[in-house]
Amino acid sequence: MNKKFQALVEQILEYRWKENPVEATYSGVHKYDGQFENFSPASRKNYHQKLTQYAKRLKRFYSKKEKLSADELLDLKVLHSSLETEVKYEKEYQRHLRDASFFPGFVLSGCNVLIFRDFASPDQRGKSLLQRLKLIPAFLKLGEKNLKKTKKIPRLWTEIGMETVLKGKLFFKSTLPEFAEKVPQLKNSILKATQEAEKSFDSYYDFLKEKILPMSKGDFAAGKKLFDYLLANHHQLPYDSNDLVKIGERVIRETLAELEKISRRIDPGKDWTEIVSEIRKSHPTKENLLSFYQEQMQKSHNYLKDRELVTLPENEKLEVVESPVFVRHLIPYAAYMSPAPLE
């Protein structure tokens, strides 16, 4: 083990968690659970400079003189690439400056994770939740300030931002009051902070509708150059965008051929689109949708386990729950929240 390398890695991780409190919470680091990130241009500039310095220090460890193990070399490659990619992506794509949905979505996610995950007692999580709720008005004001300085704002992002605000108000009216009941000594404080946060959402919605939507004429596409960079450096894939198009077209052809083949077995007299339309009519009701999902996931679990197709960790479990109200307009089916690696 290279102690210098390990010490630098620990330093970088600690710095990133401190500067990215919501990401830290999702990772299982809870020292910063009552905070939000600072997305002011000046703060992000300092953050980028610091990450760039760390990336340069990491680069030295590629030398054979450092004698890193195979695992350390892999960690080096992933971390070094991650830092460089984070800086480049944020500088060029600028979601914290151009995306009107970024700020409301961010605070909702940062509060929801404290409610959804039971890494600590409700009282402890409630205290952190209260701190974050109190920060929401100022956080959204910073979002307004950032958007005012930007011209290339995609209209779609602004429309999503407005819808996220409306869905977020449902979160304030349902999810937060339900959690507040679990922490009687914090209940009144949480409900008061929730009301103030909701007011700031109303103000932010009006700001988007009146000021930002009329000027939202930018493009959300990353562009081929940045997209290819992300494929190679973030996703570590040996493909560029042209390769992905070819792969996608091939998969479409193969899938259509398979659909036609199977449909002939089911009913030779019908096109596959007709059969799919009929299948769609068979679905669970709204009332038993969640239990249906839970049953189907358990069947899949049993199938894999009984046939020993994969090795499952001890005491593993998968909870199937309703999607948070503030993401249902973006994720209409289902999504997976991975467990915190450090919990």
Side-chain angles (χ1 to χ4, degrees):
M1 178 185 293
N2 188 308
K3 293 183 179 181
K4 290 192 300 180
F5 174 69
Q6 295 299 331
L8 179 57
V9 170
E10 292 297 325
Q11 185 179 345
I12 293 171
L13 292 177
E14 181 59 35
Y15 174 75
R16 287 201 72 263
W17 288 325
K18 183 179 180 181
E19 295 296 315
N20 299 279
V22 172
E23 182 182 331
T25 301
Y26 273 95
S27 298
V29 176
H30 299 294
K31 291 186 289 185
Y32 311 106
D33 281 351
Q35 303 173 29
F36 283 130
E37 282 78 335
N38 185 345
F39 286 105
S40 68
S43 177
R44 299 319 281 178
K45 182 179 180 180
N46 292 335
Y47 178 64
H48 297 155
Q49 290 175 345
K50 190 69 173 179
L51 292 192
T52 300
Q53 291 170 5
Y54 276 133
K56 289 180 179 178
R57 291 174 63 183
L58 280 172
K59 198 171 183 179
R60 301 169 188 167
F61 285 93
Y62 283 110
S63 170
K64 292 182 179 180
K65 295 179 182 179
E66 297 295 342
K67 298 181 180 179
L68 298 187
S69 67
D71 286 343
E72 287 175 327
L73 282 170
L74 180 58
D75 288 342
L76 171 61
K77 181 179 180 181
V78 171
L79 183 55
H80 181 249
S81 178
S82 175
L83 296 183
E84 290 191 331
T85 300
E86 183 176 1
V87 173
K88 183 176 179 65
Y89 176 77
E90 192 168 308
K91 280 185 175 182
E92 295 190 17
Y93 208 42
Q94 299 182 329
R95 290 198 63 178
H96 65 294
L97 297 176
R98 304 192 304 131
D99 187 354
S101 72
F102 180 85
F103 281 81
F106 199 90
V107 296
L108 290 168
S109 178
C111 290
N112 183 67
V113 67
L114 295 172
I115 295 173
F116 182 75
R117 285 190 174 159
D118 58 354
F119 56 84
S121 68
D123 285 344
Q124 185 176 335
R125 289 182 286 127
K127 291 177 182 177
S128 297
L129 174 64
L130 178 58
Q131 289 177 302
R132 282 187 175 171
L133 285 171
K134 290 180 177 179
L135 293 174
I136 288 177
F139 194 84
L140 292 185
K141 282 298 180 183
L142 175 60
E144 293 181 13
K145 189 175 181 180
N146 283 2
L147 289 167
K148 286 178 182 177
K149 297 178 180 179
T150 311
K151 295 182 179 180
K152 299 180 180 179
I153 300 174
R155 185 178 182 86
L156 178 62
W157 285 357
T158 302
E159 292 172 343
I160 292 175
M162 294 171 68
E163 191 167 3
T164 299
V165 168
L166 296 178
K167 301 300 183 184
K169 287 168 63 66
L170 296 177
F171 177 75
F172 293 139
K173 292 182 182 299
S174 58
T175 308
L176 282 167
E178 288 175 9
F179 180 80
E181 292 295 333
K182 299 178 182 179
V183 285
Q185 69 276 25
L186 295 171
K187 177 181 175 180
N188 291 336
S189 296
I190 288 178
L191 293 180
K192 182 180 179 180
T194 297
Q195 291 176 347
E196 294 302 313
E198 188 175 352
K199 289 179 183 178
S200 70
F201 264 52
D202 289 333
S203 177
Y204 188 75
Y205 182 90
D206 292 340
F207 167 75
L208 294 184
K209 183 179 179 180
E210 298 169 9
K211 303 291 186 180
I212 301 303
L213 188 63
M215 60 176 282
S216 297
K217 300 177 182 179
D219 188 358
F220 63 82
K224 178 177 172 56
K225 187 175 180 180
L226 179 58
F227 191 82
D228 286 343
Y229 176 89
L230 294 173
L231 287 175
N233 295 277
H234 176 63
H235 298 287
Q236 301 286 312
L237 291 173
Y239 313 115
D240 63 14
S241 51
N242 293 329
D243 295 324
L244 287 189
V245 170
K246 292 176 182 177
I247 293 171
E249 291 173 342
R250 187 190 74 237
V251 171
I252 290 173
R253 290 194 300 270
E254 292 173 349
T255 302
L256 288 174
E258 190 70 14
L259 283 169
E260 292 169 357
K261 179 180 177 181
I262 294 174
S263 67
R264 285 194 294 270
R265 289 210 310 260
I266 297 174
D267 189 337
K270 292 182 178 179
D271 184 75
W272 70 266
T273 56
E274 297 177 79
I275 295 175
V276 169
S277 295
E278 292 174 1
I279 292 173
R280 283 178 174 168
K281 296 176 183 177
S282 175
H283 57 77
T285 63
K286 179 181 179 180
E287 290 71 26
N288 72 352
L289 179 61
L290 183 60
S291 61
F292 177 82
Y293 258 92
Q294 291 168 338
E295 291 169 4
Q296 296 305 310
M297 292 305 298
Q298 189 59 47
K299 286 182 180 179
S300 300
H301 173 278
N302 295 341
Y303 183 92
L304 294 172
K305 186 176 181 180
D306 293 344
R307 288 161 180 76
E308 298 182 346
L309 297 177
V310 294
T311 301
L312 298 173
E314 288 187 39
N315 303 318
E316 60 78 29
K317 65 176 181 177
L318 176 65
E319 295 183 38
V320 181
V321 300
E322 290 185 353
S323 299
V325 293
F326 59 87
V327 296
R328 292 177 190 174
H329 62 298
L330 299 174
I331 308 173
Y333 298 104
Y336 176 65
M337 179 186 285
S338 59
L342 299 176
E343 283 179 5

